[in-house]
Each structure stands twice: as structure tokens, then as C-alpha cells.
Amino acid sequence: MSIPTRIAGSRPAPTDLIWVALLGIPAAMLGVLTVRAAFAFPDYRDFHIFWSAGRAVIDGTPVYPRAALSAVSGQDQFVYPAPAAIAMVPLALLPLGASATVFLALNAVALMLALRLLGVRDWRCYAIAFCSIATLQTLTLGAITSFLLLGTACAWRWRDRRPVAAAAVAAVIVAKLFLAPLLVWLWVTGRRSTAIAAAAIAGAAGIAGWAVIGFSSLRDYPHLMSVVSDHEQRFGYSVAALAIHLGGGATPARALTVLVTAALCLLAAVVGRERGGDRRAFSVAVVASLALSPILWLNYLLLGLAPLALARPRLSRAWAVLLLAWLFANPNTVAPLWKVILFQATVAAILAVAVLERGQRRSPGTA
């Protein structure tokens, strides 16, 4: 990840200077974000939600809002599964500003570790990743997408070590249920015992989480998620949002989401049997996860780094999709149709790169 050494006294190439300047952008950005997080600015909203959920667990107060539109319309309430609230308890023991700073640092480190585990050694890829709108939104909002990417990368890196792979897949599914297609990848590539173990661990973690905060909230949780999905799915870039933009209601949107996800899971099963099928099936499963989510924000594009990094571990034109994503950045309002289409086209481009790269790339440290 270091800059190639040059002969003493020689001038650096213009392209090297450009990349050094580009690498300085995320460094400066992280410095600014650290200061903002330390003072707990309101726009660090996702982490405020997580921190408040951790405090609720400590204080023994309700973690979830009422399952009503009036309670969730502000998009400022904790709606993740119970284990995610438990995981925030250590950070909630700290003052908000200090906790936010620690979380920001961990978020940045998680992204770098994920790329490393996915086999990326080209420092220019790291620069592009940190300059992408997906990373910026993850860091500025205090989202957990970097940690989801890290868990997904761990599942790939140690895919043939059953305890590690099962724990990694379970962890990301517990945090975000839409990552369940990773179980399909494990299953179609012959790791059925790992898939079963991951599902069992996720289920046990869910039961344990709700045992801590109280099973009474579990009864209303499915209805809460339904209310949140119906309200928010029109805002983001998901398949459901695309269906709604095209004139469909909630039911057609759900149907299209299921149809696209099922088609991608079938594709994972097909490519999993071919040469280089393990990596390709994994990549398709990650994209299937993005298709499955009824609420898809721009920072979720960070998960697309997994298939992209495995197919192109060194800088190539394919990495430009992360920078082009700036074109469809949108405030926290309903994104126009052309931006939703462009987002889905970007995901499709990442999928094409991953599937059409037929050679099996060997990940460092794996069998």
C-alpha cells in the first residue's frame, strides 16, 4: 500500500503527485469528521440513534419506538434487531462526544481492514474507497456499513474455517437481516454445515438480545419493521423504491424485491458450480442482499466493495463507479427516478464485473 520507491534524486511522476493529493482528501476529511464527532454535531445522526439505544439498555428504558408512523416518520428512532442495541452498550458508557470519536475511528479502520481481507494491496484503491460518497455518508452519519463490510470480508477470508465464517455471517445478519443471502452462498458452495451454524448462531443471538431488553418488544417488532419499510422504502435507492417510482404500490414493490432477490440467489447457485464459482457466487449473494433490502441508502453501496475488490484487487476502470456515485448523491428526501435508476445501474455494473471475471483469484491466507 506504499508508494513505489524511486531512484534517489529523481522527480516523482505527475500521476504519483495526483494520487498523493487524492489520498490527502480522505485524510483531511477524517480530520474534520473527528472534530465534528467530538462535539457531537446533530448530523452524526445514525450514531446518536445507536448510542441512545445503548443508553436505553443500560437505563432499562424502552429501546424501540411505538409501531406507529408518527413515531418513526422522523427517521430518528432505533429499529435494528435487539443484539445491535446490546453491542452499543460499551460505547454508551462513554460521553456522547468521546463515544462518537471512537466510533468514527473504528469505522475508518473497519473499512481498511475489510479491503485488506478482500485482497486489495493497491493503495490507490484505498484512496478511491475513502473518497467515495458511500464512505463519506457512512462516516458522516455514523452508520455501521463499514462494519457490515468487514464482517462480510471476514466471512469470505475465512470461508473454509467453519466457526469463523459462521460467526461472521451470523453477526452481519443479526445487524442487518437483508444480508441473509450470504447463507445461500454458503449453501450452494457446499458449506451447508456452516450455513446451518450461521443461522443457528444468528437465531441464538437474537433470542439472547431480546432476553436482555425484554421479550415484550419482540411481539411488536415485526409490525414496527413493516411500518418503517412502508414509510421509508420510497426515499432510498432500492428495488422497492424503483417499483414505487414506476407507479407500483407497496405490494408490487415487495413482490419485485422478492423476485429480483430470488433470481440473484438462483444465479449464485448456477455460477457457484463453474470455474471461479466460489468468488462469483459470493459476489452475487452480496448483490442479492442489496436487492433484498426494502430501504437502501447511498452508504449501502459500500458493500459493493466486496465483489469489486475480489474481481479487481488492483486499480482499474471498474473502480470509477465509486467516484461516479457522487452524481446521484441526494439529501434525505425522495430521490428522483433517474438517480434510483443510476444507483441500480451501478450495482448491476459491479455485478457484471464480478460475474464476468471468470478466473478464481486466490485470497491471501486462504486455502
Side-chain angles (χ1 to χ4, degrees):
M1 210 170 80
S2 59
I3 302 173
T5 304
R6 292 186 168 273
I7 300 174
S10 63
R11 294 182 178 180
T15 53
D16 286 349
L17 295 176
I18 292 173
W19 281 108
V20 169
L22 183 59
L23 191 61
I25 294 175
M29 179 183 71
L30 288 174
V32 172
L33 290 175
T34 300
V35 174
R36 292 173 68 86
F39 288 96
F41 274 57
D43 62 351
Y44 206 51
R45 55 183 298 163
D46 278 23
F47 180 73
H48 288 187
I49 296 171
F50 292 127
W51 185 87
S52 298
R55 285 303 314 175
V57 173
I58 295 171
D59 298 337
T61 56
V63 172
Y64 295 108
R66 292 181 297 108
L69 179 59
S70 59
V72 301
S73 58
Q75 302 178 10
D76 57 356
Q77 297 292 327
F78 182 83
V79 293
Y80 290 75
I86 307 301
M88 290 296 158
V89 168
L91 287 174
L93 293 171
L94 299 173
L96 181 56
S99 181
T101 303
V102 171
F103 188 78
L104 174 62
L106 292 175
N107 230 335
V109 170
L111 175 56
M112 291 188 289
L113 285 177
L115 290 174
R116 184 79 178 177
L117 291 175
L118 291 167
V120 177
R121 299 296 183 268
D122 191 331
W123 66 273
R124 296 170 298 178
C125 294
Y126 286 76
I128 287 181
F130 271 95
C131 288
S132 71
I133 184 62
T135 300
L136 181 63
Q137 286 213 343
T138 296
L139 296 177
T140 55
L141 293 174
I144 62 171
T145 319
S146 291
F147 300 104
L148 297 178
L149 178 63
L150 177 59
T152 303
C154 287
W156 168 259
R157 174 68 168 75
W158 290 290
R159 58 196 181 279
D160 292 322
R161 298 183 184 181
R162 186 184 305 163
V164 180
V169 171
V172 296
I173 291 176
V174 165
K176 281 289 190 181
L177 297 176
F178 68 75
L179 284 160
L182 290 177
L183 295 174
V184 175
W185 158 62
L186 291 173
W187 189 271
V188 301
T189 54
R191 302 180 179 92
R192 297 184 176 181
S193 60
T194 305
I196 293 172
I201 293 171
I207 293 173
W210 262 287
V212 172
I213 69 172
F215 283 109
S216 59
S217 61
L218 178 59
R219 182 179 60 252
D220 296 328
Y221 187 72
H223 180 52
L224 172 64
M225 291 307 299
S226 177
V227 172
V228 172
S229 296
D230 287 345
H231 173 63
E232 294 188 6
Q233 64 185 359
R234 70 182 190 276
F235 286 97
Y237 302 85
S238 65
V239 172
L242 180 60
I244 291 173
H245 272 289
L246 295 176
T251 300
R254 290 194 185 99
L256 182 61
T257 296
V258 172
L259 181 63
V260 173
T261 304
L264 288 171
C265 288
L266 180 60
L267 177 61
V270 171
V271 300
R273 299 172 182 166
E274 301 175 355
R275 180 185 177 186
D278 199 358
R279 176 190 59 76
R280 296 165 73 206
F282 171 80
S283 298
V284 175
V286 172
V287 174
S289 298
L290 294 175
L292 179 60
S293 178
I295 307 168
L296 198 61
W297 301 115
L298 195 51
N299 58 281
Y300 289 7
L301 186 62
L302 204 60
L303 291 170
L305 277 174
L308 179 61
L310 289 176
R312 298 286 191 273
R314 293 190 61 82
L315 184 66
S316 71
R317 286 176 292 182
W319 282 82
V321 298
L322 294 177
L323 297 180
L324 291 175
W326 279 94
L327 295 175
F328 47 89
N330 207 66
N332 198 27
T333 57
V334 178
L337 176 60
W338 73 268
K339 289 189 177 183
V340 179
I341 293 175
L342 193 55
F343 182 97
Q344 291 297 328
T346 300
V347 175
I350 292 175
L351 176 63
V353 169
V355 172
L356 295 177
E357 179 62 53
R358 304 192 63 87
Q360 174 70 52
R361 295 185 182 274
R362 182 181 176 92
S363 294
T366 57

